[in-house]
Amino acid sequence: MKLKILQILKNKQGYASGEQISRQLGVTRTAVWKTVNSLRKEGYPIDAVPNRGYRLVGEPDILSTAEIRIHLQRAGLDRFVGTVAFKQKTDSTNQMARFADGQQPNQVGLFVAEQQTAGRGRRGRNWHSDHKEGLWFSLLIRPKQMSAEHFSCMTLFAGLCVAEALNDLGINTGIKWPNDLIAIASGRKLGGILTEMILEDSDVRSLIVGIGINVAAKKFPEDLTNLATSIFLESGNHFTRAEVLITILHRFAERFPAYGDFRWLADYRSNCLTLGREIKVSPAFGTPWTGRAIHLNDDGELLVEDANGVRHVVRSGEVSIRGLPGCKM
Amino acid sequence: MQIDEIGKLMEFMKANDLNVLELEEGGSRLLLERHMPTVPASASAVLPQAAAASDALDSAEKSGQLILSPVVGVFYESPAQDAEPFVQVGSVVEVGSPLCIIEAMKLMNEVSSAFDGIVLEIFVENGQRVEYGQPLMRIGGDVSC
């Protein structure tokens, strides 16, 4: 009922009377009143005027299952997105997705949290997401009988979709290979992606794409000040997290059916800030080395030429770009 | 040596049924070893306490099932840098138990066991680069008491 009442209030320009709502939904006026109160507790600014009814004031930045569903319906994405789950607080949205059941092969599951207590970067590195100023979510994909190799470029693919979505919002965004979203104006990091794949024999059982975007943050902890930025800091605009989410899902839904033709790699290349730059490659275990990123091959790997002119295929490890603060060397 | 050349060498080994190939070229040396999957052993072949005694296993007929890498990437024994390894030699695993992660391009492939048994051998080191289809572990033995 919460969803339905919220929907009515969102679609109504002026006031919706309690009686009208109760008749439309076939519930008592007291039930309507109770639901409105619980929506208010969630943070919705709802005006209540005797004899006129209820009115939602403005478009608050609130995340809830109902809010997300309404946005998905409005955007025509309610068929592409199957499961929707929301939590105020979770260890990580990737974990939420991991333990979810079901999901059709042609749909994605959406797992969103207001706060992540253990949001993860690469190799368990902490990702600053224990606050409400960002959008933290995971997409769950359950493909039918696909090999791990087929999906090995998923992080790159998601990175392209998010970069395009951020550009749609007016923020000039590029990708630092493989998965960092960099605001071109400041060179700082807006967000990142971490994909987890769960295999059963050699088939992919679940593919979980974790996405984190700094949306409203006005400042960051000292050690991140020079590295991180937010949509607000870059654009001066207050986008709600739901708007950002829908913009990303739009791009994802549009491109996902053609993931397998890998033609999107051409667009990835043109959005990739790493290509043509002096970079430092830091293997997980081993000595860092420097070189120039000269190409991204059709497997999504980076081709790097070292100081001696020797070319290396880079597939793992940290890569930083000289001269970009969000990508320190 | 380029990766695709190594790939070709691996194909060559497979085609000619070679188990070991050593190559020296311009000061660099490459050693390729192929581990053949063997037929599952009879149920009583390996007991848990025997698993640690790998010498005994080496001399005996190799039993168990191989876990192969599903992708090209880097092998990680644990979910995070400071975390405990998923498994060690001697660990008892069941179908679905996570064994390791192969990372490539910020995609973490969690490899889980397709068999019930004991981890008899781990062929790769933490942080090592692995190829598609490369054996990672051998799992076998009887865990029923």
Side-chain angles (χ1 to χ4, degrees):
Chain A
M1 182 160 71
K2 210 180 245 181
L3 171 69
K4 285 182 176 151
I5 291 183
L6 190 57
Q7 220 158 9
I8 290 170
L9 293 176
K10 275 184 181 266
N11 291 333
K12 191 88 182 173
Q13 293 295 324
Y15 285 85
S17 79
E19 202 189 323
Q20 218 178 345
I21 300 172
S22 75
R23 238 185 300 124
Q24 198 175 331
L25 302 181
V27 296
T28 65
R29 288 174 64 175
T30 318
V32 173
W33 177 76
K34 274 187 182 157
T35 308
V36 167
N37 270 347
S38 105
L39 282 169
R40 277 176 162 166
K41 273 201 195 111
E42 281 181 21
Y44 288 97
I46 298 172
D47 246 6
V49 179
N51 300 322
R52 293 184 72 183
Y54 305 104
R55 187 173 70 105
L56 182 64
V57 189
E59 186 82 18
D61 185 8
I62 291 171
L63 285 179
S64 65
T65 309
E67 182 74 34
I68 293 165
R69 281 210 178 279
I70 289 171
H71 274 87
L72 289 171
Q73 266 169 25
R74 275 194 197 163
L77 289 166
D78 46 334
R79 297 183 71 152
F80 179 66
V81 179
T83 312
V84 176
F86 170 80
K87 273 189 181 174
Q88 287 290 338
K89 211 175 208 175
T90 187
D91 40 4
S92 87
T93 55
N94 273 16
Q95 288 292 333
M96 282 170 74
R98 176 180 282 247
F99 296 113
D101 301 316
Q103 211 53 59
Q104 296 299 313
N106 53 345
Q107 287 186 321
V108 303
L110 175 61
F111 299 82
V112 188
E114 187 113 86
Q115 267 176 289
Q116 290 189 120
T117 52
R120 280 185 297 169
R122 197 174 152 273
R123 293 294 298 144
R125 237 171 268 169
N126 205 34
W127 162 251
H128 179 64
S129 56
D130 189 13
H131 59 84
K132 302 175 182 179
E133 292 171 327
L135 171 65
W136 326 120
F137 70 102
S138 296
L139 299 175
L140 170 65
I141 302 160
R142 290 250 162 86
K144 260 207 177 122
Q145 293 180 336
M146 278 300 199
S147 71
E149 203 57 41
H150 179 77
F151 284 109
S152 61
C153 289
M154 199 61 206
T155 298
L156 277 66
F157 176 80
L160 173 62
C161 297
V162 177
E164 288 179 325
L166 292 170
N167 280 299
D168 291 342
L169 294 173
I171 298 130
N172 197 4
T173 308
I175 311 159
K176 182 183 74 116
W177 183 91
N179 71 328
D180 282 334
L181 296 147
I182 307 292
I184 292 173
S186 65
R188 292 177 182 160
K189 183 168 162 175
L190 280 161
I193 292 155
L194 184 86
T195 308
E196 289 177 72
M197 186 140 84
I198 297 160
L199 301 166
E200 214 167 60
D201 295 336
S202 55
D203 282 352
V204 177
R205 190 163 65 86
S206 314
L207 201 61
I208 300 167
V209 185
I211 300 176
I213 308 289
N214 299 321
V215 178
K218 293 186 177 68
K219 59 178 189 181
F220 288 90
E222 212 166 296
D223 54 325
L224 293 178
T225 306
N226 279 320
L227 307 176
T229 187
S230 68
I231 290 180
F232 172 75
L233 286 174
E234 292 297 317
S235 67
N237 290 328
H238 292 280
F239 290 102
T240 64
R241 288 164 297 170
E243 279 176 279
V244 178
L245 173 65
I246 293 297
T247 314
I248 294 171
L249 288 175
H250 248 308
R251 284 292 184 174
F252 199 89
E254 198 176 85
R255 281 195 176 273
F256 187 63
Y259 169 82
D261 70 20
F262 294 95
R263 266 180 278 174
W264 53 268
L265 274 168
D267 294 317
Y268 184 94
R269 286 185 190 105
S270 52
N271 282 284
C272 182
L273 301 175
T274 314
L275 290 175
R277 306 287 287 262
E278 288 296 322
I279 63 166
K280 184 168 88 175
V281 181
S282 310
F285 299 84
T287 323
W289 52 281
T290 55
R292 178 178 287 273
I294 51 174
H295 183 55
L296 183 92
N297 69 18
D298 287 344
D299 293 327
E301 298 162 326
L302 206 58
L303 218 59
V304 185
E305 196 170 88
D306 70 17
N308 301 320
V310 179
R311 293 183 175 188
H312 305 259
V313 175
V314 176
R315 193 177 166 89
S316 300
E318 285 297 312
V319 170
S320 44
I321 305 175
R322 185 182 298 277
L324 270 188
C327 327
K328 67 172 177 194
M329 290 193 65
Chain B
M1 171 149 311
Q2 299 288 323
I3 293 306
D4 47 359
E5 290 178 63
I6 297 176
K8 276 179 201 146
L9 286 175
M10 288 166 74
E11 286 302 323
F12 174 79
M13 287 171 72
K14 205 169 155 191
N16 294 283
D17 207 21
L18 298 173
N19 285 334
V20 183
L21 185 125
E22 195 172 357
L23 193 76
E24 273 193 62
E25 186 190 48
S28 66
R29 180 172 157 271
L30 178 78
L31 175 69
L32 295 171
E33 267 189 69
R34 219 163 130 244
H35 295 263
M36 301 298 294
T38 49
V39 197
S42 60
S44 62
V46 184
L47 294 168
Q49 61 269 35
S54 62
D55 287 354
L57 282 169
D58 283 341
S59 53
E61 186 188 310
K62 293 253 177 170
S63 66
Q65 302 271 10
L66 289 177
I67 302 290
L68 307 178
S69 179
V71 288
V72 181
V74 172
F75 172 88
Y76 289 111
E77 61 180 13
S78 63
Q81 217 114 41
D82 49 2
E84 288 291 308
F86 288 108
V87 293
Q88 286 162 317
V89 171
S91 296
V92 175
V93 296
E94 48 189 59
V95 173
S97 299
L99 300 174
C100 63
I101 284 173
I102 312 291
E103 187 254 14
M105 299 183 288
K106 300 268 167 133
L107 189 138
M108 315 312 238
N109 297 275
E110 191 178 291
V111 180
S112 53
S113 181
F115 320 102
D116 290 338
I118 299 150
V119 178
L120 300 175
E121 223 175 327
I122 301 177
F123 303 115
V124 284
E125 299 268 318
N126 197 25
Q128 185 183 325
R129 191 194 148 96
V130 294
E131 294 301 324
Y132 173 76
Q134 182 174 338
L136 304 172
M137 297 180 190
R138 197 157 55 81
I139 290 177
D142 183 11
V143 287
S144 61
C145 304

